[in-house]
Amino acid sequence: MSDNDPSHDGERGPARAVAVQPEPDSAEAAQVRPSEAQNGPARLKSLAGSVRSWLARPEARQTLLKAGFLAALLVVGGLLVWLLTSLLAAATMQSANRPGAAAAPSAAPPAASPRPSLPLASVSPLDFRVGDCFKDFDPEASKSTIVACTSGHSAQLVAVTHYADSDAYPGREALKTRARETCQTAALTEKSNVYNLTYRLAYPSTASWAKGDRRVDCYVTASGNIIKASLLP
């Protein structure tokens, strides 16, 4: 206790005896009167009788039946809600696990862009279009001749991918990987089985990237000008 507690006087000394006078009728109040003790069981019996009497009434039975029916409806409703929720969750999981369900549809490769008139000589690689066919194709040349795909040619541009103008130079290996992936997007016709074809990749150098070159090209090539049809659908 703290010194501020009024029950503590701050001194230790001999205890003083204090006489406590009983209040009037305290002895009588401390005892349970026989009449009150006997009335307890009687009250319980009376209460039980009242309950039985109430239950015996038709309206009481109807009330209990209605309450039971309502409780049953609540239970059944809860079970239906749980079942519907479980079925919806299961359907969602199956849809998410289905191969290709969550993947965004891949962009279709650019369609071939036919030229208004052919042949075209001295065309820059940055002006090549998907579907162009080339006579005496040289991937290292700065200019090429585009011819009609029904005439003899040695290469065709079958797919192109573009980096964003704001992208940093990704490096030679990353560009080569991107070019291979670009070739995988090219869907060739059955006519390609007639020729012994090779994929050729073209992608920017550090110098051409600095000048704004962001395209990655995929060609199919053959030895000599022996291809005489477009190999794209």
Side-chain angles (χ1 to χ4, degrees), residues 136-149:
D136 299 322
F137 179 70
D138 180 4
E140 304 296 332
S142 60
K143 303 287 183 179
S144 296
T145 299
I146 301 174
V147 297
C149 292

Side-chain angles (χ1 to χ4, degrees), residues 77-91:
L79 290 175
L80 288 176
V81 171
W82 173 82
L83 180 60
L84 291 175
T85 303
S86 300
L87 291 176
L88 181 61

Side-chain angles (χ1 to χ4, degrees), residues 83-172:
L83 180 60
L84 291 175
T85 303
S86 300
L87 291 176
L88 181 61
T92 303
M93 290 295 295
Q94 290 178 359
S95 177
N97 293 331
R98 187 179 301 120
S106 57
S113 302
R115 300 286 185 172
S117 61
L118 294 171
L120 289 175
S122 301
V123 180
S124 168
L126 294 180
D127 294 327
F128 292 168
R129 301 178 185 178
V130 173
D132 281 348
C133 296
F134 305 92
K135 183 178 180 180
D136 299 322
F137 179 70
D138 180 4
E140 304 296 332
S142 60
K143 303 287 183 179
S144 296
T145 299
I146 301 174
V147 297
C149 292
T150 53
S151 64
H153 57 278
S154 61
Q156 184 175 11
L157 179 60
V158 295
V160 175
T161 298
H162 291 273
Y163 281 86
D165 292 340
S166 58
D167 288 345
Y169 180 70
R172 187 172 183 272

Side-chain angles (χ1 to χ4, degrees), residues 35-48:
S35 60
E36 294 178 354
Q38 293 175 359
N39 288 337
R43 290 178 180 176
L44 292 177
K45 291 180 180 180
S46 176
L47 179 60

Side-chain angles (χ1 to χ4, degrees), residues 63-79:
T63 301
L64 289 177
L65 288 175
K66 291 179 180 178
F69 182 70
L70 180 59
L73 284 180
L74 291 175
V75 172
V76 172
L79 290 175

Side-chain angles (χ1 to χ4, degrees), residues 11 21 25 33 48 60 104 107 156 161 166 196 232:
E11 294 182 349
Q21 299 293 333
D25 298 332
R33 293 186 177 88
Q156 184 175 11
T161 298
S166 58
N196 184 17
L232 290 178

Side-chain angles (χ1 to χ4, degrees), residues 149 153 190-198 221-222 226-231:
C149 292
H153 57 278
E190 293 182 354
K191 296 177 183 178
S192 61
N193 298 327
V194 178
Y195 307 99
N196 184 17
L197 301 174
T198 303
T221 65
I226 60 172
I227 306 174
K228 295 185 179 182
S230 174
L231 303 182

